[in-house]
Amino acid sequence: MILSRLDYCNSLLAGLPASATRPLQLIQNAAARLVYNLPRDSHVTPLLISLHWLPVQARIRFKTLVLAFQAVKGSAPGYLQKMIRPYKPARSLRSATTGRLIPPPTRAATRSRLFAVLAPRWWNDLPVEVRTAECLSTFKRKLKTHLFSVYLSPLP
């Protein structure tokens, strides 16, 4: 129940600083402690890992990238599909099969929170095996695994 409320329209929060999403993260942390009936000062990262919950920033990125995947595959609404442009080189190159997107011009994209700016940037940062997934369920599984390794990996 709590996670569905945290995820509701969270892609609108894409690109905001951590200070803006911190209240949502505190709610998620409290929910994880509630599930395990632990005190307020207990560490949350092991709880999130055992519950398979991504932190709020990663959940926002996950939702934005799922929308980008649907736009690339043609199953998203038309207005989202118009914002996403797949990279197609003029001649035959190896990079044509990597599933990259064309980012908008850098001047317009420096600090923008627009879907048309963030989605291609985040998409191109993904590993090739995630970007080139054939179906939505495979993409979601690979993306969640990747985001877990990025956001919840143990420190060396």
Side-chain angles (χ1 to χ4, degrees):
M1 174 79 170
I2 293 170
L3 292 180
S4 65
R5 296 294 181 194
L6 285 177
D7 287 341
Y8 179 71
C9 291
N10 69 357
S11 60
L12 295 175
L13 304 174
L16 286 178
S19 62
T21 58
R22 181 154 170 72
L24 295 176
Q25 187 62 55
L26 292 175
I27 292 170
Q28 185 184 33
N29 294 351
R33 288 186 191 105
L34 178 69
V35 167
Y36 284 103
N37 197 23
L38 292 174
R40 185 174 183 188
D41 60 346
S42 59
H43 194 61
V44 175
T45 303
L47 305 178
L48 295 178
I49 291 171
S50 67
L51 291 168
H52 288 270
W53 290 357
L54 289 169
V56 171
Q57 287 284 1
R59 296 174 87 81
I60 292 169
R61 188 171 286 227
F62 179 85
K63 190 151 187 190
T64 303
L65 288 170
V66 167
L67 288 172
F69 177 84
Q70 291 173 330
V72 166
K73 296 297 182 181
S75 61
Y79 66 92
L80 288 179
Q81 291 180 31
K82 290 177 186 175
M83 293 182 195
I84 300 295
R85 294 187 347 233
Y87 171 70
K88 293 183 180 149
R91 58 179 198 244
S92 179
L93 299 174
R94 283 182 295 179
S95 62
T97 61
T98 60
R100 297 181 64 84
L101 297 177
I102 299 174
T106 53
R107 248 189 260 170
T110 52
R111 292 196 167 202
S112 181
R113 291 182 41 231
L114 295 173
F115 176 80
V117 173
L118 286 179
R121 185 183 314 149
W122 290 349
W123 181 269
N124 291 339
D125 289 343
L126 290 174
V128 175
E129 61 271 6
V130 178
R131 284 193 311 246
T132 56
E134 290 298 319
C135 65
L136 182 61
S137 61
T138 305
F139 176 76
K140 284 181 175 181
R141 184 177 26 107
K142 289 181 177 184
L143 178 60
K144 190 170 182 181
T145 302
H146 171 70
L147 291 176
F148 256 101
S149 68
V150 170
Y151 284 89
L152 294 174
S153 64
L155 296 174

